[in-house]
Amino acid sequence: MPYSTTHRGLAHTFGDLKTLLAKATPLRSGDVLAGVAAESQVERVLAQRTLAEVPLTDFLEHPLIPPETDEVSGYLLESHHPAAFAPIRGFTVGELRDFLLSDEATPQVLENLTWGLLPEMVAATSKLMRNQDLISVARKRRVVTRFRSTIGLSGRLSTRIQPNHPSDDVAGVLASTLDGLLYGGGDATIGINPAGDGLKPVVELSTVLDTLIRRYEIPTQSCILAHVTNTIAAMERGAPIDLVFQSIGGSQALNKGFGVDIALLDEAHAAGQSLKRGTVGNNLMYFETGQGSALSANAHHGLDQQTIEARAYGLARRYQPFLVNTVVGFIGPEYLYDGKQIIRAGLEDHFCAKLLGLPMGCDVCYTNHAEADQDDMDTLLTLLGVAGVNFVMGLPGADDVMLNYQSTSFHDALYVREVLGLRPAPEFEAWLLRMNIAHDNRLSDSRGKALQLPEVFNAR
Amino acid sequence: MDIKKPDSWTHLRRFTPARVALGHVGHALPLEAVLDLALAHAEARDAVWQEPDWERIRVGLRQSGKAFIEVQSTAPSRQQYLLRPDWGRNLSEGSKDRLDSQRGHYDLVLCLVDGLSGAAISENALPMLEALGAWLEHTSWSLAPLVLARQGRVALGDEIGAALGARMTLVLIGERPGLSSPDSLGLYLTYAPHTGNLDSQRNCISNVRPGGLSYAEAAETVRMLLYGAKALGKTGVELKPDVKYLP
């Protein structure tokens, strides 16, 4: 169904809804690469003006990817709640944008809307919002999850320690982990990307982290970010798995590229639940996503990269995950060229995920071939802190020595907590005090001195 | 009063290349750590944006008596190369003509491709060729003229190999720079190169540089892969480097 507008007496027509959404998207290199971006600045704004007039019901009546051929579309439509949608049923996309910014859209009203919103409606709305709009609406929508710590409460910001090592060396991983703990990090998770494939690193590293967590009675949870089939196999062998990780995307074809489908994710979720390892709650899935992954797998169905990214969030919420984050700058400059595009995408992803009810975090990051640097990361980190992001990454000196990119450091997390008055998860904050690591966000000078180190360090 | 607070666990540094135990000033990193990272990032950025020292490569090749052809992809600039990976996979029209004029029946063509690190080619391409030449020259294999390629991705080697009529292509390419490895060279071997080869049909040797994988080790792995590819009639996931293939 075509959509039209007129400008200076000339008619402008957009062939269908996905074309309109793509042309209305703020400029990013991945949409240009896909050939779906607006061809001029004027065309982009005209598309935004046209999109503002589109009724929300169009997204229900004209699915962007047919549910007959895509199980993600099938789930998104079947999980849509008409009762939750009822208050905004008569709205256009533009009216939804205005409503979200209004005083009527209280945190409770936004929470009640959660399952009435399709990801595509949220993505469309974000295209009509400036950065400040994305921040102020997301800030109203807290999403709280629990396992051994409570993540996402108002006034809190958590971190994942990412202690990657080029050869999964146990002492190397633990050195980075202890460094992170002693800098007040790790309340979201201690999450390792293994360098090696297969089952072995999952069993070995989850056992090491489990021993560490029990030894120091740390109110946190471990995660080995391996393919979900390896995590399931590790659980079958009795490995101490806390969080179950998987990369996911917004189409069945992309998930096939990741080697998963809904049935497999259901199986992994059930297996994790059956272990009952959480103490304050049992949210346990951890998903990573990122704009551009669909195009790079040729699984984007002609959609712009931000819209198909939002669909991944619609799938993620099926599992009430403990953590979700976009790895926003990891994919490279052919998808997000520079700091400006990375910052915008990070704010969009956080906004869309939060409105859809996800405990959203962000890997604030860049690669060395993107036009970005530490200053851009400072900007995005600060903006996400204001927007109420649930968690960010913590790496020694911001440098991932295994994946070869830069994320945020333990010190960066201290900075954003300091300037915005944010604190770690309550259980973890009490632990930091008990261990004499930090008190009221102030690091103790004597921390670490009395710490009994794990035996692995003595052996060498 | 000491403003800068060192960490008491600096002895853990020997267990990891990660930047642990950096100390702090207030909540911030000490300046030294900030500048260390900035310098490593600057080296990586320069590696991406600076062209390989092609003149040095040419001189080196002439000195060792190797013939070469220079080509480029359809990416007109470094910026366009970064934005359009597809343009880096195709040969410019003039380049195709130059290769066509040298078309023959070759066992192997070696391609030096700038990729994402000019520094990798400047620093490591000639010594890597020397290590390969140490045994390649003693085989009966027919080698195509070397190809030097600008603004290229790995898959540019497919079109080069097909245009020259080579059974196999070995691409030596600058890898995406990491902070500790701005000059890392990657080697990609592809059997029956043609446009549309999948990445799963290649074998890759990564991180060749001083401080990473040595030239001699990389050359030995290439040797096993080349003979293996000849025996199996393919490269890719089914081919593993193995001494059993060696003559």
PDB file of all heavy atoms in Angstrom, chain B residues 185-199:
ATOM      1  N   LEU B 185      48.990  -9.418   9.626  1.00  0.00           N
ATOM      2  CA  LEU B 185      48.756  -9.880   8.262  1.00  0.00           C
ATOM      3  C   LEU B 185      47.913 -11.156   8.305  1.00  0.00           C
ATOM      4  O   LEU B 185      48.157 -12.034   9.133  1.00  0.00           O
ATOM      5  CB  LEU B 185      50.115 -10.161   7.598  1.00  0.00           C
ATOM      6  CG  LEU B 185      50.167 -10.390   6.098  1.00  0.00           C
ATOM      7  CD1 LEU B 185      49.870  -9.086   5.345  1.00  0.00           C
ATOM      8  CD2 LEU B 185      51.548 -10.903   5.686  1.00  0.00           C
ATOM      9  N   GLY B 186      46.935 -11.261   7.396  1.00  0.00           N
ATOM     10  CA  GLY B 186      46.144 -12.483   7.276  1.00  0.00           C
ATOM     11  C   GLY B 186      46.435 -13.148   5.941  1.00  0.00           C
ATOM     12  O   GLY B 186      46.706 -12.465   4.954  1.00  0.00           O
ATOM     13  N   LEU B 187      46.410 -14.486   5.888  1.00  0.00           N
ATOM     14  CA  LEU B 187      46.643 -15.229   4.649  1.00  0.00           C
ATOM     15  C   LEU B 187      45.402 -16.070   4.358  1.00  0.00           C
ATOM     16  O   LEU B 187      44.934 -16.806   5.229  1.00  0.00           O
ATOM     17  CB  LEU B 187      47.861 -16.160   4.801  1.00  0.00           C
ATOM     18  CG  LEU B 187      49.265 -15.553   4.589  1.00  0.00           C
ATOM     19  CD1 LEU B 187      49.544 -14.442   5.567  1.00  0.00           C
ATOM     20  CD2 LEU B 187      50.325 -16.628   4.720  1.00  0.00           C
ATOM     21  N   TYR B 188      44.885 -15.941   3.142  1.00  0.00           N
ATOM     22  CA  TYR B 188      43.670 -16.675   2.767  1.00  0.00           C
ATOM     23  C   TYR B 188      43.943 -17.491   1.509  1.00  0.00           C
ATOM     24  O   TYR B 188      44.315 -16.939   0.476  1.00  0.00           O
ATOM     25  CB  TYR B 188      42.515 -15.710   2.500  1.00  0.00           C
ATOM     26  CG  TYR B 188      41.985 -15.039   3.749  1.00  0.00           C
ATOM     27  CD1 TYR B 188      42.630 -13.940   4.275  1.00  0.00           C
ATOM     28  CD2 TYR B 188      40.850 -15.515   4.396  1.00  0.00           C
ATOM     29  CE1 TYR B 188      42.159 -13.311   5.431  1.00  0.00           C
ATOM     30  CE2 TYR B 188      40.363 -14.904   5.548  1.00  0.00           C
ATOM     31  CZ  TYR B 188      41.024 -13.810   6.054  1.00  0.00           C
ATOM     32  OH  TYR B 188      40.546 -13.208   7.192  1.00  0.00           O
ATOM     33  N   LEU B 189      43.743 -18.792   1.606  1.00  0.00           N
ATOM     34  CA  LEU B 189      43.948 -19.672   0.455  1.00  0.00           C
ATOM     35  C   LEU B 189      42.590 -20.123  -0.089  1.00  0.00           C
ATOM     36  O   LEU B 189      41.740 -20.595   0.663  1.00  0.00           O
ATOM     37  CB  LEU B 189      44.771 -20.895   0.865  1.00  0.00           C
ATOM     38  CG  LEU B 189      45.072 -21.887  -0.260  1.00  0.00           C
ATOM     39  CD1 LEU B 189      46.016 -21.260  -1.281  1.00  0.00           C
ATOM     40  CD2 LEU B 189      45.669 -23.176   0.290  1.00  0.00           C
ATOM     41  N   THR B 190      42.405 -19.952  -1.412  1.00  0.00           N
ATOM     42  CA  THR B 190      41.142 -20.336  -2.046  1.00  0.00           C
ATOM     43  C   THR B 190      41.435 -21.175  -3.292  1.00  0.00           C
ATOM     44  O   THR B 190      42.188 -20.752  -4.161  1.00  0.00           O
ATOM     45  CB  THR B 190      40.335 -19.082  -2.461  1.00  0.00           C
ATOM     46  OG1 THR B 190      40.240 -18.211  -1.340  1.00  0.00           O
ATOM     47  CG2 THR B 190      38.934 -19.469  -2.926  1.00  0.00           C
ATOM     48  N   TYR B 191      40.820 -22.349  -3.356  1.00  0.00           N
ATOM     49  CA  TYR B 191      40.952 -23.243  -4.516  1.00  0.00           C
ATOM     50  C   TYR B 191      39.885 -22.874  -5.539  1.00  0.00           C
ATOM     51  O   TYR B 191      38.772 -22.521  -5.179  1.00  0.00           O
ATOM     52  CB  TYR B 191      40.777 -24.700  -4.067  1.00  0.00           C
ATOM     53  CG  TYR B 191      41.158 -25.718  -5.117  1.00  0.00           C
ATOM     54  CD1 TYR B 191      42.469 -26.182  -5.210  1.00  0.00           C
ATOM     55  CD2 TYR B 191      40.209 -26.217  -6.013  1.00  0.00           C
ATOM     56  CE1 TYR B 191      42.823 -27.107  -6.172  1.00  0.00           C
ATOM     57  CE2 TYR B 191      40.556 -27.148  -6.985  1.00  0.00           C
ATOM     58  CZ  TYR B 191      41.873 -27.593  -7.049  1.00  0.00           C
ATOM     59  OH  TYR B 191      42.229 -28.521  -8.000  1.00  0.00           O
ATOM     60  N   ALA B 192      40.216 -23.004  -6.814  1.00  0.00           N
ATOM     61  CA  ALA B 192      39.291 -22.680  -7.913  1.00  0.00           C
ATOM     62  C   ALA B 192      38.621 -21.326  -7.690  1.00  0.00           C
ATOM     63  O   ALA B 192      37.399 -21.230  -7.565  1.00  0.00           O
ATOM     64  CB  ALA B 192      38.226 -23.773  -8.070  1.00  0.00           C
ATOM     65  N   PRO B 193      39.442 -20.272  -7.623  1.00  0.00           N
ATOM     66  CA  PRO B 193      38.872 -18.953  -7.321  1.00  0.00           C
ATOM     67  C   PRO B 193      37.932 -18.469  -8.424  1.00  0.00           C
ATOM     68  O   PRO B 193      38.251 -18.575  -9.609  1.00  0.00           O
ATOM     69  CB  PRO B 193      40.108 -18.048  -7.229  1.00  0.00           C
ATOM     70  CG  PRO B 193      41.177 -18.739  -8.018  1.00  0.00           C
ATOM     71  CD  PRO B 193      40.907 -20.208  -7.849  1.00  0.00           C
ATOM     72  N   HIS B 194      36.778 -17.973  -8.017  1.00  0.00           N
ATOM     73  CA  HIS B 194      35.845 -17.349  -8.957  1.00  0.00           C
ATOM     74  C   HIS B 194      34.931 -16.441  -8.156  1.00  0.00           C
ATOM     75  O   HIS B 194      34.758 -16.654  -6.948  1.00  0.00           O
ATOM     76  CB  HIS B 194      35.026 -18.405  -9.710  1.00  0.00           C
ATOM     77  CG  HIS B 194      34.177 -19.243  -8.804  1.00  0.00           C
ATOM     78  ND1 HIS B 194      34.675 -20.324  -8.114  1.00  0.00           N
ATOM     79  CD2 HIS B 194      32.873 -19.132  -8.432  1.00  0.00           C
ATOM     80  CE1 HIS B 194      33.700 -20.864  -7.377  1.00  0.00           C
ATOM     81  NE2 HIS B 194      32.608 -20.157  -7.544  1.00  0.00           N
ATOM     82  N   THR B 195      34.341 -15.454  -8.825  1.00  0.00           N
ATOM     83  CA  THR B 195      33.432 -14.539  -8.149  1.00  0.00           C
ATOM     84  C   THR B 195      32.294 -15.348  -7.522  1.00  0.00           C
ATOM     85  O   THR B 195      31.708 -16.189  -8.193  1.00  0.00           O
ATOM     86  CB  THR B 195      32.857 -13.524  -9.158  1.00  0.00           C
ATOM     87  OG1 THR B 195      33.960 -12.884  -9.787  1.00  0.00           O
ATOM     88  CG2 THR B 195      32.006 -12.474  -8.468  1.00  0.00           C
ATOM     89  N   GLY B 196      32.030 -15.107  -6.254  1.00  0.00           N
ATOM     90  CA  GLY B 196      30.962 -15.839  -5.577  1.00  0.00           C
ATOM     91  C   GLY B 196      31.465 -16.922  -4.647  1.00  0.00           C
ATOM     92  O   GLY B 196      30.666 -17.593  -3.981  1.00  0.00           O
ATOM     93  N   ASN B 197      32.804 -17.098  -4.544  1.00  0.00           N
ATOM     94  CA  ASN B 197      33.337 -18.036  -3.547  1.00  0.00           C
ATOM     95  C   ASN B 197      32.814 -17.653  -2.153  1.00  0.00           C
ATOM     96  O   ASN B 197      32.741 -16.474  -1.814  1.00  0.00           O
ATOM     97  CB  ASN B 197      34.867 -17.974  -3.499  1.00  0.00           C
ATOM     98  CG  ASN B 197      35.527 -18.790  -4.600  1.00  0.00           C
ATOM     99  OD1 ASN B 197      36.190 -18.249  -5.463  1.00  0.00           O
ATOM    100  ND2 ASN B 197      35.338 -20.092  -4.572  1.00  0.00           N
ATOM    101  N   LEU B 198      32.456 -18.641  -1.351  1.00  0.00           N
ATOM    102  CA  LEU B 198      32.000 -18.380   0.017  1.00  0.00           C
ATOM    103  C   LEU B 198      33.207 -18.388   0.958  1.00  0.00           C
ATOM    104  O   LEU B 198      34.225 -19.032   0.680  1.00  0.00           O
ATOM    105  CB  LEU B 198      31.011 -19.451   0.471  1.00  0.00           C
ATOM    106  CG  LEU B 198      29.748 -19.604  -0.392  1.00  0.00           C
ATOM    107  CD1 LEU B 198      28.933 -20.806   0.076  1.00  0.00           C
ATOM    108  CD2 LEU B 198      28.907 -18.337  -0.339  1.00  0.00           C
ATOM    109  N   ASP B 199      33.075 -17.689   2.090  1.00  0.00           N
ATOM    110  CA  ASP B 199      34.169 -17.674   3.068  1.00  0.00           C
ATOM    111  C   ASP B 199      34.439 -19.080   3.606  1.00  0.00           C
ATOM    112  O   ASP B 199      35.558 -19.395   4.004  1.00  0.00           O
ATOM    113  CB  ASP B 199      33.854 -16.713   4.213  1.00  0.00           C
ATOM    114  CG  ASP B 199      33.991 -15.260   3.767  1.00  0.00           C
ATOM    115  OD1 ASP B 199      34.688 -15.018   2.769  1.00  0.00           O
ATOM    116  OD2 ASP B 199      33.395 -14.381   4.412  1.00  0.00           O
TER     117      ASP B 199
END
